[in-house]
Amino acid sequence: MSFSKIYDYKLRAYFNERISDLSHEYLFYSYPDQEQNLRILTLNINEQDYVSLVRWHDLFDRSLFTKMDHVIRGELDAERLIRLLSLIFNVFDIHKDVAYRRKNLCCFYYQYQVSHLAERGNEFTFAQDRLFFLQHLLFELGLGDDIYDRLTIENNRIMYRMEDAQHYDLHILINILHEHIHKSKMDMDTQAALEKIKFLQGQWVNFMLGSHDVYDFPFDDFNKPFVEATMFMQAYKSNKNRVLEVLIDCINEHQSPTEQFISHLILMNYSYFVLKRDPSEITYLKLFCKKKAGVFMKVLTALLDIRFFVDKSSFTNAGINYYLSRVRGD
């Protein structure tokens, strides 16, 4: 089963309470510490034992990294890689607590854009934005800048900068790390579990980059193409009014939960790719809504509620102070 299918299960579980268990040969969702609003991806070791993927390092003695003779030369490099290759699996967490609503939305957005913004040779190149989204996703998953600032994306590969300033393909580092781990003594079940985890870590990289495993939201929503940044910006440049119509449709009060989800992602595109770079673009939306009573106010409120790289202060000089004064909050 590909990670796209597991991610699809996560999305369906996010919107459905009475969903059946994940069907997988050796992965399942567990509830850590009796936290019923959180489910984490977990690996069966044998009939009695299991380990959550974020705790995979519990399967070996980390003191074995005191002596190394390959590109992972120091304990600090090893510890950082182990942490990176642990917390990446938080992207599959199913967290339904209301307090995590915005965090969930951001993670869905970042993952989608990183996996879909491959270089396509058109006028819109988002290489820096793609890396920016990857770094922000890893931040949301619990990693610090001491790790995610070491990453770059080159030729659709995630590269990691070691302490010696050399950059290595993350796939290569995963292989080297596991080769070193397997030098220590372990039982056959643990060895087999680590082989599966090694495969899953490499699969995560491919899933994140959209290499052979590109996930798309399964919803029947004719606005869904505008979630993809390239499509959104091409449409905004060639037919701005069409995109403004879509933005207005995003505040339709009769939307289903999944339609509202897609609408939020589209509004995030508008916030990041348009308003963050030029807040005065909001005036085009204002003029477009001129004959639609109350609509501009609703769209503006939705944008500010999401708080995605724009807030009230972003529009100080945009000539919409009257509308800003009517929006509650900062």
Side-chain angles (χ1 to χ4, degrees):
M1 177 183 283
S2 69
F3 269 150
S4 280
K5 292 182 179 179
I6 296 175
Y7 199 73
D8 187 68
Y9 177 88
K10 166 188 169 157
L11 187 69
R12 288 186 290 113
Y14 182 72
F15 286 105
N16 299 280
E17 189 64 31
R18 295 185 295 273
I19 189 171
S20 57
D21 292 337
L22 176 69
S23 176
H24 192 278
E25 180 183 357
Y26 52 80
L27 294 176
F28 67 99
Y29 273 97
S30 63
Y31 295 84
D33 303 322
Q34 305 302 312
E35 176 58 67
Q36 294 301 304
N37 285 326
L38 173 63
R39 283 177 272 179
I40 62 175
L41 204 54
T42 304
L43 176 114
N44 265 321
I45 299 175
N46 51 45
E47 292 183 359
Q48 291 81 33
D49 301 316
Y50 58 87
V51 64
S52 66
L53 294 183
V54 295
R55 299 290 305 179
W56 73 283
H57 48 77
D58 290 342
L59 297 177
F60 57 88
D61 183 358
R62 287 156 81 165
S63 66
L64 63 91
F65 289 101
T66 54
K67 293 183 179 180
M68 290 166 284
D69 56 358
H70 41 62
V71 297
I72 308 174
R73 296 185 182 279
E75 289 183 72
L76 185 57
D77 273 335
E79 286 297 326
R80 283 173 175 160
L81 280 170
I82 290 169
R83 183 166 175 77
L84 171 63
L85 295 173
S86 301
L87 295 186
I88 56 175
F89 291 112
N90 282 338
V91 76
F92 298 105
D93 285 0
I94 303 170
H95 211 312
K96 304 187 74 168
D97 195 295
V98 174
Y100 282 79
R101 177 177 169 273
R102 183 178 179 278
K103 185 184 185 76
N104 285 330
L105 188 63
C106 287
C107 287
F108 279 121
Y109 180 86
Y110 293 140
Q111 187 283 328
Y112 186 90
Q113 300 303 350
V114 173
S115 63
H116 283 74
L117 285 178
E119 293 295 335
R120 293 185 175 87
N122 56 45
E123 62 182 300
F124 296 99
T125 56
F126 299 112
Q128 290 304 311
D129 299 301
R130 194 184 190 201
L131 177 61
F132 181 80
F133 291 146
L134 174 62
Q135 292 172 334
H136 273 65
L137 174 63
L138 294 175
F139 170 78
E140 295 289 354
L141 300 183
L143 288 161
D145 58 6
D146 61 319
I147 295 177
Y148 63 67
D149 276 350
R150 294 177 172 274
L151 299 176
T152 54
I153 301 176
E154 301 175 16
N155 299 318
N156 212 37
R157 297 180 299 164
I158 295 180
M159 308 296 290
Y160 183 90
R161 175 172 51 83
M162 306 294 282
E163 277 294 297
D164 62 4
Q166 296 297 310
H167 291 75
Y168 297 91
D169 188 324
L170 192 54
H171 278 297
I172 293 174
L173 293 177
I174 290 170
N175 290 335
I176 292 173
L177 192 69
H178 280 270
E179 285 175 9
H180 192 82
I181 291 171
H182 281 288
K183 290 179 181 179
S184 62
K185 292 183 179 180
M186 62 185 71
D187 59 58
M188 291 182 63
D189 284 345
T190 302
Q191 186 173 1
L194 284 169
E195 282 295 332
K196 291 172 183 174
I197 290 169
K198 173 187 172 184
F199 169 76
L200 292 171
Q201 289 165 342
Q203 192 179 24
W204 183 95
V205 175
N206 293 337
F207 168 73
M208 191 54 53
L209 293 172
S211 302
H212 316 298
D213 186 17
V214 185
Y215 179 73
D216 200 4
F217 301 119
F219 310 129
D220 183 10
D221 184 334
F222 52 70
N223 284 342
K224 188 177 69 171
F226 293 92
V227 173
E228 205 276 313
T230 305
M231 165 66 180
F232 181 90
M233 289 306 295
Q234 285 175 335
Y236 193 79
K237 183 174 181 179
S238 63
N239 189 354
K240 187 178 294 187
N241 285 355
R242 173 70 184 105
V243 176
L244 298 181
E245 288 174 355
V246 171
L247 295 176
I248 291 173
D249 203 26
C250 287
I251 51 100
N252 186 324
E253 61 184 21
H254 301 296
Q255 294 179 95
S256 69
T258 57
E259 288 172 336
Q260 188 175 58
F261 172 75
I262 293 296
S263 291
H264 284 158
L265 299 177
I266 294 170
L267 289 169
M268 292 163 83
N269 269 344
Y270 183 57
S271 292
Y272 179 83
F273 288 105
V274 178
L275 299 179
K276 177 177 176 285
R277 300 175 182 189
D278 186 1
S280 67
E281 286 284 323
I282 196 76
T283 57
Y284 290 102
L285 177 63
K286 177 187 171 186
L287 290 172
F288 189 76
C289 297
K290 190 173 182 180
K291 295 182 180 180
K292 301 175 176 66
V295 169
F296 175 70
M297 188 68 194
K298 290 180 180 179
V299 178
L300 178 63
T301 300
L303 291 166
L304 295 176
D305 282 347
I306 293 174
R307 306 192 311 279
F308 196 66
F309 294 101
V310 293
D311 55 25
K312 281 187 177 181
S313 64
S314 305
F315 305 108
T316 302
N317 300 315
I320 61 168
N321 289 340
Y322 167 74
Y323 297 94
L324 293 173
S325 67
R326 297 179 62 196
V327 177
R328 293 181 180 179
D330 298 331

